[in-house]
Structures are given as C-alpha cells and as structure tokens.
Amino acid sequence: MDEERLQRSAVVANNAMNRERGLDGVNSYARDLGFHPLDRLEPPLSGQDGAAWLDLCCGRGRALAQAAGQRRDGLTLVGVDLVGHFDPAAASAPNLTLVTGSITTWRPDRTFDLITCVHGLHYVGDKLGVLARALTWLSPGGTFAGHLDLNSIRLLDGGPATRLVRRLLREAGIGYDARRRLVTCTGPRELDLPLAFAGADDQAGPNYTGQPAVDSYYRPTRTGTRAEPAPSPRRAVTVDDTGVRVDHGTWVAEAAWADLAGATVSRFVVEVADVDHLELTVDLVYGHHLSVADDADGFAEAVAELARRWGRPAPDLAALAPGDGHVDVWRRG
Ligand SMILES: C[S@@+](CC[C@H](N)C(=O)[O-])C[C@H]1O[C@@H](n2cnc3c(N)ncnc32)[C@H](O)[C@@H]1O
C-alpha cells in the first residue's frame, strides 16, 4: 500500500503502541537510545546560539515536555506525530512546538542539533526516504538517532534487503547499532541510496518490539559500477587511568571510572544480516551504556586492561560463543 493508505491502517493508527516514553527512566528515550538527549544537546546549549531538538514520531511528546520542563534557556523543541494526542504538559510548554502531520511529507524550516525517531520508522512506509530527508536537517555536528529494523526492509521480489541496506549505510558512513537497531549519524548528510520505495505491507506481523509493524518494499534503481565509497570512520577504544573512551570517528563517548558499573563482552550473531562480531558493553551507574564492536582499534587491549584492573584473567575472545551471553570483564567491587 502507499503511504496515504498506510496512515489509515489499524497497524499505524494503533492505540496499543507505546507513545508514552519519557526523557529518562524505565520507559524512556535515554534507555532506548543509549544516551540522554539532553547530554547530546549540552555542547550547543552552552554556546551562543542555543540548541534545537526535533523528535520525529514523538507520540504524546512526553520526552520533549520533560526536556521543556528543565527550563533551559536557548532550548528549542519540535515534535511531529501523525496522531495529535499530545500530553497536556507538552501542549503547554512555551519552547515546544508540536505538529500533527506525517514525517513523510512534513519539512522543517530550520536545522537541528539532535533529531530522534524513537520506534517511529517501524510504522512508516518509505523508511529510507524519511531517513534521507531527516539527515539533511541536521546542523553541523548534530546527531541523528532513530530505530530502524533492517529486517523490515525488503526488495520487491520479496527477498530481504537487510544485508544490502546494512552495507549501503556503512558505505555512506552511517552507523548502525545492530543490538539496539539504531541508525546514527553526525552532521548533515546527503544519502543517495540506489533503492526506490515501492510500497508498504501493514500485514507483516510483529517486529522485534513485539508490536505489529510495517514492512517496506524497495526496487533497486541502479546497476553498473560506482566510484569506490569513502571508507567508514575508524573506531577505537581505550582504557586508561581516566576511564573508558570510545572514538566513533565522528564523535567520542567517554566514561570516567566513577561512572562505570561494569563491563562485559559478548558475541553478537545475526545470520540473516551477515553480522558476527564481538561487542564490549560498558554499563554506567546511571543506567546508560557504551558499546563498541571488535573492529575498533584497541578492542582486545581494552578487554585485557579491564580484566587486569579487575584482577581476573581476560576471557579468550576467540573462543567466545553467542550462547555465552554477556561475560563479565570488570565489575565495581
Ligand atoms: C511506538 S510510537 C513511539 C512514540 C514515541 N516516540 C515514544 O517513544 O513514546 C510510534 C509513533 O509513530 C507515529 N507515526 C507513525 N507513522 C507516522 C508518520 N508517517 N508520521 C508521523 N508519525 C508517525 C505514531 O502515531 C506513534 O505515535
């Protein structure tokens, strides 16, 4: 079905979906994104021009309302949702604009330091088209983070496009956290994927969230050869006296020892997505975590250093199996 019919479908206009996520806590953006939105806005907020956060598929707008409730000078908040059932606290916040409309057609008149789409693309037809549009609305250095289930992207012949899209995103320098199913990107980006939206299927059944979701069908639009893509940014992880530092190439995540609750390694395998790698996950005392895959420089050294500081032998990374789950390499004593 096309985007217009999809928006009238019972799967999209579904009252049972979770539209209530707040800023932090159990049912929250901080938890599902793996970072606190206000932390990401802090650097521009402390500058002269203030900061702007756009939340696509914002649901009831509770996360935005809670951000508005912090009364930070220079903070501009915008939320867009197809269904205008906004939380009363969101509707009355002075620095928060709420728009009832579809993110497939709406466009802003400014750029944003943070653009989020928390479990919204699951209900959109042209997920890749929305992603491409949203990436152009970022300010320089701004962050996009949105959930995207690659298993819901299919080629017109019915085959999964999971591996293809994963590769295309990687080649475009766009991050994909397979565990969180989260697309991330820094700074404005032109995303020109060789795929044209062909229609959506609202009968695809539940996705990984357990809720019925929408599959999106694409037609390949290009054949032949293209120039070699730019290499994706080099990642690196270090553990030293200050704590743990993950350099994602375009942005850096750091945690001091005092903020660390524990660290684990695990082997993550998704056969259909051609994924098989190790992940180091560092849990922080306030409920967030940092994670980094084994293609990062210094991965084995970081695991060994954490285990050394814990006073235990480092696990044999080559022998780690998916069934081993998260193996402790450091715990607060
Ligand atoms: C699972 S809810 C998540 C809401 C919110 N982000 C949260 O986490 O609380 C998905 C939201 O996407 C919205 N949505 C679905 N299709 C949309 C579209 N084309 N444009 C804007 N919003 C859409 C739905 O109305 C719903 O509020």
Side-chain angles (χ1 to χ4, degrees):
M1 54 177 58
D2 64 18
E3 212 74 64
E4 215 172 302
R5 253 184 80 197
L6 181 65
Q7 286 163 23
R8 292 194 299 269
S9 138
V11 169
V12 176
N14 170 1
N15 271 338
M17 63 172 72
N18 183 355
R19 292 185 162 90
E20 304 283 342
R21 286 181 190 83
L23 199 52
D24 41 34
V26 178
N27 181 30
S28 74
Y29 276 40
R31 190 183 163 120
D32 283 20
L33 292 170
F35 64 86
H36 198 297
L38 290 183
D39 289 349
R40 212 40 77 81
L41 291 166
E42 205 51 55
L45 257 182
S46 49
Q48 279 188 339
D49 300 331
W53 173 16
L54 168 64
D55 188 24
L56 300 171
C57 300
C58 64
R60 302 205 67 212
R62 292 191 63 223
L64 290 170
Q66 287 166 10
Q70 312 239 334
R71 306 200 177 284
R72 296 292 309 267
D73 285 342
L75 180 59
T76 301
L77 302 160
V78 180
V80 184
D81 200 283
L82 202 55
V83 177
H85 287 175
F86 301 119
D87 191 289
S92 60
N95 53 341
L96 168 52
T97 306
L98 292 168
V99 180
T100 306
S102 173
I103 57 166
T104 55
T105 48
W106 178 84
R107 63 176 62 249
D109 54 11
R110 58 161 301 153
T111 59
F112 295 87
D113 304 290
L114 175 64
I115 301 178
T116 49
C117 187
V118 173
H119 300 296
L121 291 175
H122 309 324
Y123 308 97
V124 168
D126 188 3
K127 303 179 203 309
L128 298 175
V130 166
L131 174 66
R133 295 173 75 235
L135 294 182
T136 64
W137 304 336
L138 286 170
S139 310
T143 300
F144 174 88
H147 294 97
L148 176 65
D149 181 7
L150 294 186
N151 292 329
S152 68
I153 298 187
R154 311 192 74 84
L155 295 176
L156 209 49
D157 65 7
T162 317
R163 289 167 65 164
L164 172 67
V165 174
R166 203 182 154 99
R167 181 166 61 78
L168 291 170
L169 291 179
R170 190 167 50 229
E171 287 174 0
I174 291 168
Y176 187 69
D177 179 336
R179 197 171 73 149
R180 291 190 177 277
R181 293 173 173 84
L182 193 70
V183 175
T184 52
C185 178
T186 306
R189 190 73 54 96
E190 294 289 336
L191 182 62
D192 181 20
L193 298 181
L195 294 169
F197 178 57
D201 176 11
D202 69 342
Q203 299 299 312
N207 71 355
Y208 73 99
T209 65
Q211 288 287 313
V214 172
D215 273 358
S216 302
Y217 283 77
Y218 287 85
R219 180 186 294 117
T221 56
R222 274 195 236 131
T223 53
T225 54
R226 288 193 289 143
E228 277 297 302
S232 47
R234 197 73 212 142
R235 292 182 170 76
V237 52
T238 45
V239 175
D240 59 22
D241 287 344
T242 52
V244 178
R245 180 176 201 274
V246 182
D247 185 342
H248 289 272
T250 45
W251 59 282
V252 173
E254 284 176 301
W257 285 106
D259 293 333
L260 263 51
T264 57
V265 274
S266 57
R267 178 154 162 222
F268 187 70
V269 177
V270 186
E271 267 166 32
V272 67
D274 199 18
V275 171
D276 183 350
H277 63 227
L278 301 178
E279 276 180 356
L280 170 63
T281 306
V282 179
D283 291 313
L284 307 183
V285 286
Y286 39 89
H288 302 181
H289 76 262
L290 311 178
S291 71
V292 62
D294 58 358
D295 61 349
D297 289 340
F299 183 89
E301 292 82 352
V303 172
E305 181 59 15
L306 284 159
R308 190 187 71 75
R309 286 173 184 254
W310 198 31
R312 314 246 176 128
D316 180 357
L317 295 180
L320 210 60
D324 294 341
H326 287 267
V327 175
D328 281 335
V329 288
W330 186 87
R331 282 276 135 214
R332 181 162 292 288

